[in-house]
Structures are given as C-alpha cells and as structure tokens.
Amino acid sequence: MLGRRVLVTGAASGIGAAITELFAREGAKLALIDRSDEALTKVARACEALPLIADLRKSDEVAKAVRTAAERLGGLDCVINAAGVLSVGPFDQGQIEDWEQLIAVNLTGPFLVCRAAVEYLRKAEFATIVNVSSGIALRPLSNYAGYAASKAGLLSFTKVIAQELAPTIRVNAVCPGPIETPMIRDTYPTKSSRKKAEALYALGRFGTSSEVAAAVMFLCAEESSFITGISMAVDGGRSFH
Ligand SMILES: NC(=O)c1ccc[n+]([C@@H]2O[C@H](COP(=O)([O-])OP(=O)(O)OC[C@H]3O[C@@H](n4cnc5c(N)ncnc54)[C@H](O)[C@@H]3O)[C@@H](O)[C@H]2O)c1
C-alpha cells in the first residue's frame, strides 16, 4: 500500500476508522470523509490523513470532497465506501424518514462517491473500489427490511459497475457480520440478546473492525488482481448455510 492514494468514507468511527488505521500503517496516503467533525479530526491526526467533512446524502458536498481529496493526494488509487447507518424494526411500523435515510446514506452515498471518483481512478495504474455492504444483504434477517434492501442494492450496484469499469478499475464488496462498533452496540444492548445473535454464526462470536479492514486491504491489493464484482462475506459463517 506504500504511497497509494486512498479515500475512505465513514472514517471517523468503527470499521472506517480501522480501515484508515490499517492503510496508514501500510504506508498509504489517505483522505477521509465523514460528517462527524471532532471524531474525524482525531482519526485524521493519528493517521496523518486529510479530513474532509461532507454529508454523503448531498451530491454537491460529495463532489467537492472527492475533488479536494484527489487534488490534495495527487490522484486516487482506491476508494472505500464504509459510511453507513442502521435502523431496525418491523417494516410495517417503519417511518418513511428512516427508510429514506437508509437508502440515502447506504446506497445513494456510495453511488455519489463512485461517480465523483471515477475520473481520477481511471487515470490510476491499478485502481480499486471496495463497498462495505453487510452479511444481512446475503442472508436477510427479520426487522432489517430497509437496511437489507439498501445493502443488497449496494451489492447489485457493485456488480454492475464492476462490469462497466473493467478492466481499468476493480470493484468489490465486503459483507461483514456483526462487528464490535458503535453501530451494533445499541442493537444488542443485553447479554442475552447478544448471546442469541452470536449463536447465528458458525464461529459463535461477533467480529472486529480490524478483521473487516484486513479483507478490504486484500481487495485493494495486487494479491486480488483477478477478483472483481464479488461480495466477500466476512461474517463468521452465517451466509453459507
Ligand atoms: N458494525 C456492524 O456490525 C456492521 C455489520 C455489517 C455492515 N456494517 C457496515 O459497515 C459500515 C461501517 O459501520 P460501523 O459499524 O463502523 O458504523 P459506525 O456507526 O461506527 O460508523 C459509521 C460512520 O459513517 C458516518 N456517516 C453516517 N452517515 C453519514 C453521512 N450522511 N455522511 C457522512 N458520513 C456519515 C458516521 O459519522 C460514522 O463515522 C457501514 O456501512 C455499516 O452498514 C457494519
């Protein structure tokens, strides 16, 4: 990753922050997008990265942030769409605002970022995009209708643009199972709800952000040079059965 120019969204927290830390350790030059100012500044400082505040639901803010990232890094080699939101509940009690928020951040956000970044990625020698979807997109669960739909949409989007951008840019997705981050903590607040959730996974535990970051790094590295358009489960073994 030495000297590779990498843009990460959702870098202020959880999986995005872990991806940033891993890529920084491996010598990448990083630009980070998030809406969370204070947390983003902290991660950026620790990783000597460029922090860019933008709301991924807003086309003009995304275009400006991606342009600034490419200008300041001298181009782009990798784009990693890690930002996301979660809301859970029976679909027939869902609010339209929650549904729209899930689609806007989890699906429209990566579309806007990829669309803005593609002109820079096309100029790179070995360009990659990785979209962070979810194991829920591969094997849906009750109460996750909006989230599953947004993340399954992201997988379809990934497969389509992998074809459109080949062979210049490889595009893949990772599909994490439950990962120890702020996003998941509220979903399983009690010991018993957590135990029940862990039992759904062959490995019997939640994963860590660094386990997802390692998969993302593989999909950005030359070692994965013959891989494009895949949805890689990093889910402790739930989607295969
Ligand atoms: N944690 C899990 O169990 C899990 C499982 C599967 C998939 N994922 C996915 O992994 C990704 C990272 O999740 P996480 O657990 O690290 O969550 P997190 O809440 O810790 O981090 C998400 C980040 O996205 C940013 N973000 C949200 N909306 C934004 C917007 N409109 N504009 C800019 N930034 C915005 C937040 O500020 C935050 O920094 C998400 O796409 C999530 O759906 C997480």
Side-chain angles (χ1 to χ4, degrees):
M1 283 300 138
L2 195 61
R4 297 198 76 202
R5 301 154 299 178
V6 181
L7 175 65
V8 184
T9 76
S13 176
I15 292 170
I19 292 167
T20 301
E21 283 151 19
L22 178 61
F23 277 69
R25 276 204 304 280
E26 295 293 324
K29 285 162 53 177
L30 289 142
L32 315 176
I33 298 181
D34 206 289
R35 63 177 174 188
S36 163
D37 195 354
E38 205 180 315
L40 184 66
T41 306
K42 223 168 143 186
V43 175
R45 202 168 288 148
C47 296
E48 294 180 25
L50 173 69
L52 298 161
I53 302 299
D55 184 337
L56 292 166
R57 297 169 300 181
K58 301 194 173 143
S59 172
D60 52 340
E61 291 189 21
V62 171
K64 188 171 167 215
V66 172
R67 193 170 56 247
T68 307
E71 284 169 5
R72 294 282 296 276
L73 298 181
L76 287 177
D77 298 298
C78 309
V79 168
I80 299 156
N81 285 299
V85 288
L86 171 68
S87 56
V88 183
F91 92 94
D92 55 352
Q93 289 166 33
Q95 303 298 313
I96 182 70
E97 293 78 12
D98 292 336
W99 176 274
E100 285 174 350
Q101 164 87 341
L102 287 164
I103 300 296
V105 180
N106 296 351
L107 182 55
T108 310
F111 157 71
L112 293 173
V113 172
C114 291
R115 194 183 59 170
V118 84
E119 66 170 289
Y120 307 104
L121 292 169
R122 280 192 211 276
K123 292 180 192 144
E125 214 175 307
F126 184 75
T128 56
I129 296 171
V130 177
N131 293 322
V132 180
S133 175
S134 170
I136 298 276
L138 298 173
R139 190 160 181 226
L141 265 176
S142 293
N143 296 323
Y144 283 83
Y147 185 74
S150 70
K151 293 295 190 178
L154 183 57
L155 291 187
S156 272
F157 173 67
T158 301
K159 290 173 194 169
V160 171
I161 71 168
Q163 294 176 67
E164 291 184 19
L165 299 177
T168 324
I169 306 168
R170 294 188 301 110
V171 190
N172 292 293
V174 291
C175 298
I179 305 296
E180 306 277 3
T181 72
M183 178 180 277
I184 208 76
R185 260 164 233 149
D186 297 341
T187 314
Y188 303 105
T190 63
K191 261 194 174 152
S192 68
S193 63
R194 181 168 166 139
K195 259 200 141 39
K196 216 168 124 190
E198 285 173 342
L200 298 172
Y201 298 85
L203 298 182
R205 65 171 175 88
F206 286 8
T208 65
S209 296
S210 53
E211 289 174 316
V212 180
V216 171
M217 175 156 281
F218 169 68
L219 291 173
C220 290
E222 289 203 45
E223 284 81 354
S224 63
S225 55
F226 201 44
I227 299 178
T228 197
I230 69 158
S231 308
M232 182 192 275
V234 187
D235 70 346
R238 178 170 176 270
S239 55
F240 67 79
H241 59 82

